[in-house]
Amino acid sequence: MTAASEPRAPRKRRNPKGEARRENILDIASEIFSEGGYHSASIADIAARAGISQAGLLHHFPSKPELLLAVLNARDADAIRRLREGGLTGVAYLNSYLHTLKEHESDLALVQLNAMISAEALAETHPAHDYFVEQHRLRLDEFTRSIAETFDFDAMPTGVTAETVARWAIALAEGMRLQVLYEEEGRANRSDTLTLFFETLRPYLKDPRPISADQVIEAAAAE
């Protein structure tokens, strides 16, 4: 029998019940990690709130570090797919990033999860340390490239580069996250604040398209 005629291995079929249980575990784990961080959470607590045994949870996620990384990947999946797999750059990338921030603002538990785990992950021994280091590297590279395409840096003050502005924007988004959590709901808004930041740079724009989260919504509605 030739290689071409050999029967293919049957594809594994996804079990809808198993997938639903897996999604529920991720949702519960996300809640618990956001409440007290990674170290204060336990597999027993997560399993109990999810209504399954510890063995049942470990069937889907063999360890707590793997569960945490699965939660982070699930949290970022839509944004990463939209920003990276879509190949967005320039104004389109900035607008999509602002739109992602706007979506996250409606879920304070998600904002708190990121604040809690990213702070813990500063320790090199934390299971999410490498994840956040890599995400920061990618975000800085993407921001720098998109900002370079959007603004005229020959007209800006000496020493200001695309990476400079990218670091300002990221620092503003990270700092505003804490303000969102510490203040009364609605007083601080990351998406609106970054939109105003980019608006202050309008004299240096070389791409005339508006920079706003609403541009993503309007584009989607027009499709």
Side-chain angles (χ1 to χ4, degrees):
M1 183 179 287
T2 64
S5 62
E6 288 179 359
R8 295 179 180 177
R11 292 182 179 178
K12 288 185 177 180
R13 294 183 180 179
R14 290 190 173 183
N15 182 334
K17 285 186 178 180
E19 286 293 311
R21 180 168 294 175
R22 189 177 189 278
E23 291 301 316
N24 183 54
I25 293 170
L26 289 174
D27 288 343
I28 297 300
S30 179
E31 289 177 7
I32 292 179
F33 287 142
S34 72
E35 291 167 1
Y38 172 79
H39 294 297
S40 69
S42 71
I43 290 294
D45 290 338
I46 296 169
R49 193 179 297 187
I52 60 175
S53 66
Q54 292 185 55
L57 188 154
L58 293 172
H59 170 74
H60 294 280
F61 304 99
S63 68
K64 193 167 82 162
E66 289 184 57
L67 176 56
L68 173 63
L69 292 176
V71 166
L72 295 174
N73 280 303
R75 176 205 63 177
D76 293 337
D78 289 341
I80 289 174
R81 182 169 57 252
R82 184 162 55 230
L83 292 171
R84 294 172 188 164
E85 294 179 12
L88 299 180
T89 59
V91 169
Y93 176 91
L94 298 179
N95 285 344
S96 189
Y97 181 80
L98 291 171
H99 179 61
T100 297
L101 291 184
K102 192 167 189 173
E103 287 183 328
H104 286 185
E105 297 292 278
S106 64
D107 187 351
L108 286 181
L110 185 63
V111 177
Q112 183 163 316
L113 170 71
N114 198 57
M116 188 79 70
I117 302 301
S118 62
E120 289 183 338
L122 290 170
E124 292 185 3
T125 55
H126 193 279
H129 177 79
D130 290 344
Y131 178 89
F132 278 100
V133 168
E134 179 64 7
Q135 290 302 312
H136 171 72
R137 184 189 67 78
L138 290 171
R139 183 164 58 251
L140 179 59
D141 287 348
E142 291 161 356
F143 250 107
T144 300
R145 184 170 61 254
S146 294
I147 285 172
E149 294 176 10
T150 306
F151 297 99
D152 180 6
F153 285 91
D154 290 334
M156 285 198 182
T158 302
V160 177
T161 66
E163 183 176 323
T164 305
V165 176
R167 290 185 181 279
W168 288 345
I170 292 170
L172 189 55
E174 297 292 325
M176 285 300 298
R177 178 192 294 124
L178 294 180
Q179 294 188 42
V180 167
L181 293 172
Y182 283 133
E183 296 182 10
E184 294 178 10
E185 188 172 349
R187 286 196 63 190
N189 186 293
R190 289 191 295 166
S191 180
D192 289 351
T193 301
L194 255 73
T195 298
L196 287 173
F197 167 70
F198 289 127
E199 187 64 26
T200 64
L201 299 176
R202 177 161 293 281
Y204 306 106
L205 273 176
K206 60 183 180 182
D207 186 328
R209 290 177 294 172
I211 300 177
S212 168
D214 294 334
Q215 295 301 308
V216 175
I217 298 171
E218 290 173 9
E223 290 180 353

